[in-house]
Amino acid sequence: MKLRAAALASLILASLFVTTSVQAADPIVIAHRGASGYLPEHTLGGYELAIKLGADYIEPDLQLSKDGVLVAMHDDTLQRTTNVSSLYAARNGGYKVSDFTLAEIKTLTVKPLGTASTSYPGFSPVNSDYKIPTFQEVIDLVKTQSASTGRQIGIYPEAKQANPVMENKILATLLLNDYGQSTDKVFIQSFSDATVKSLDAKQAALGLDMQLVQLGVAVTGGDGVARMGVIGSGLSLLSLDQVASFADGIGVLINNGSYAVTKSFIDQAHAAGLLVHGWTFAQSDAGLAAAEYQRYLDMGMDGVFTNYTDLAVSAVQQFTSPVPEPATAALMMVGLLGLGLRARRSRQA
Ligand code: G3P
Ligand code: CA
């Protein structure tokens, strides 16, 4: 009887670990623009380094070329990150990605910016020429790296244009590569709520259910109620329940006094069923970075966009404890209850 009671108790206790809220397992490390603190941003070499440093997800921002190909690029112009102005004359007064064909874009080289360089100690990338990759090439890298590392690497594309054509191409590319369900390691993100809502509707129509993330800022009113600030021509506010009706998570700006991410904000987002990922962890000093990660991880943040994957991985290992799987929890409880029964028997003897 005692053993049956122990097993029953363990099952009841184990069920406590099966939560209906969205509290994630371990926080995820998202390689923001690749290993952008170390190598040229949005390059295959940079993404590969981030994976080698332990990133769970790599983040390609996406733009469309003149001939309609999705390429990994943050800006809508080519000038800041590449040598375009030394190879081409300006078009329509500038260097918009959408004014250049993929063939032309492929002639460009991405420059290291900020703390980045063209090499990283002890690392020889498969692709060391730092060209602008297509979205498909980024997915191909994810597949080969998942196979070679034995870890399923996730992908976290951002629709940088609020554009139905871009939405369709993102969904089609993912679908062609066997992504489609909520269990797949993919998040699609956008600052535009129209885009995220549209992606949600299109997925529903197609029988797809990939996770969607609304980007913006954390807003907490004087009433203490958390809301999502969506950045457009101005700032519009959405309730967290509204966001949860079309998205699975939110990506919020960190380190901003006007839009502070607090524990209460994260708790309210979790209660609404939303994951919370923070951008951008850009601190290169290991000590200062550790303190920054700890602050947000202690509040319950579920993921961090980082320019320095190694620092984020180290912080997650240091400042979070693995969430026990339900099965593991059940076994732990059986063990604990068994020990308790033995102790009681020896006291009675
Ligand atoms: O997508 C989250 C974060 O990357 C937003 O910043 O770098 O795209 O401007 P960014
Ligand atoms: Ca981004």
Side-chain angles (χ1 to χ4, degrees):
M1 280 302 285
K2 280 176 181 166
L3 271 179
R4 271 176 49 196
L8 183 62
S10 71
L11 285 174
I12 292 167
L13 285 162
S15 71
L16 297 176
F17 292 86
V18 182
T19 169
T20 51
S21 91
V22 286
Q23 186 63 51
D26 294 330
I28 58 170
V29 173
I30 308 147
H32 178 246
R33 310 186 195 179
S36 54
Y38 297 126
L39 291 176
E41 69 180 52
H42 290 310
T43 58
L44 294 178
Y47 295 131
E48 184 189 344
L49 175 60
I51 292 166
K52 295 268 159 53
L53 293 176
D56 298 301
Y57 285 75
I58 58 171
E59 188 225 13
D61 294 324
L62 296 173
Q63 298 284 354
L64 273 173
S65 69
K66 184 177 182 180
D67 44 348
V69 181
L70 288 171
V71 293
M73 159 80 46
H74 176 272
D75 302 4
D76 61 358
T77 72
L78 296 158
Q79 210 160 359
R80 180 183 64 89
T81 57
T82 78
N83 61 344
V84 66
S85 59
S86 65
L87 298 179
Y88 295 92
R91 295 177 184 173
N92 300 316
Y95 291 95
K96 279 194 167 298
V97 180
S98 55
D99 284 336
F100 287 77
T101 64
L102 179 65
E104 289 169 330
I105 286 171
K106 281 292 185 185
T107 65
L108 309 177
T109 300
V110 185
K111 303 182 285 195
L113 298 169
T115 58
S117 166
T118 52
S119 64
Y120 183 86
F123 172 68
S124 301
V126 173
N127 296 277
S128 57
D129 50 3
Y130 302 123
K131 297 296 183 190
I132 296 172
T134 64
F135 185 31
Q136 182 59 56
E137 288 169 335
V138 180
I139 293 175
D140 291 342
L141 177 82
V142 165
K143 289 179 184 169
T144 55
Q145 288 295 311
S146 295
S148 65
T149 60
R151 287 194 302 129
Q152 188 59 48
I153 309 301
I155 191 159
Y156 206 129
E158 179 181 348
K160 273 295 180 197
Q161 305 292 327
N163 172 342
V165 174
M166 176 172 276
E167 293 164 15
N168 295 347
K169 291 197 181 221
I170 291 173
L171 290 178
T173 306
L174 290 168
L175 191 53
L176 275 172
N177 287 278
D178 297 325
Y179 293 96
Q181 298 312 315
S182 59
T183 47
D184 294 334
K185 280 193 83 170
V186 57
F187 288 95
I188 311 172
Q189 49 168 336
S190 176
F191 278 100
S192 159
D193 59 322
T195 297
V196 183
K197 285 174 194 161
S198 176
L199 285 166
D200 181 51
K202 286 175 180 174
Q203 287 212 97
L206 292 166
L208 305 175
D209 190 24
M210 290 175 280
Q211 298 176 95
L212 301 175
V213 168
Q214 176 67 52
L215 300 172
V217 293
V219 177
T220 305
D223 53 3
V225 174
R227 293 181 181 82
M228 185 79 193
V230 177
I231 305 164
S233 47
L235 191 74
S236 53
L237 294 182
L238 292 176
S239 76
L240 295 177
D241 285 339
Q242 282 176 309
V243 178
S245 70
F246 59 83
D248 304 276
I250 52 178
V252 287
L253 173 66
I254 61 163
N255 293 331
N256 186 293
S258 304
Y259 304 113
V261 179
T262 61
K263 181 168 187 324
S264 168
F265 180 90
I266 293 176
D267 286 346
Q268 291 181 60
H270 286 165
L274 292 163
L275 294 166
V276 181
H277 298 160
W279 50 274
T280 298
F281 289 80
Q283 178 55 255
S284 61
D285 176 88
L288 294 174
E292 187 175 74
Y293 288 115
Q294 182 173 20
R295 188 152 64 90
Y296 288 100
L297 293 172
D298 281 354
M299 289 183 213
M301 189 168 268
D302 306 290
V304 294
F305 285 86
T306 178
N307 294 349
Y308 303 93
T309 290
D310 52 340
L311 301 184
V313 169
S314 155
V316 167
Q317 286 168 352
Q318 199 179 342
F319 302 124
T320 60
S321 43
V323 176
E325 293 291 325
T328 312
L331 287 172
M332 279 168 47
M333 293 315 302
V334 168
L336 286 172
L337 286 163
L339 285 173
L341 286 172
R342 265 178 56 184
R344 201 162 79 185
R345 266 193 230 113
S346 52
R347 274 199 309 275
Q348 286 167 349

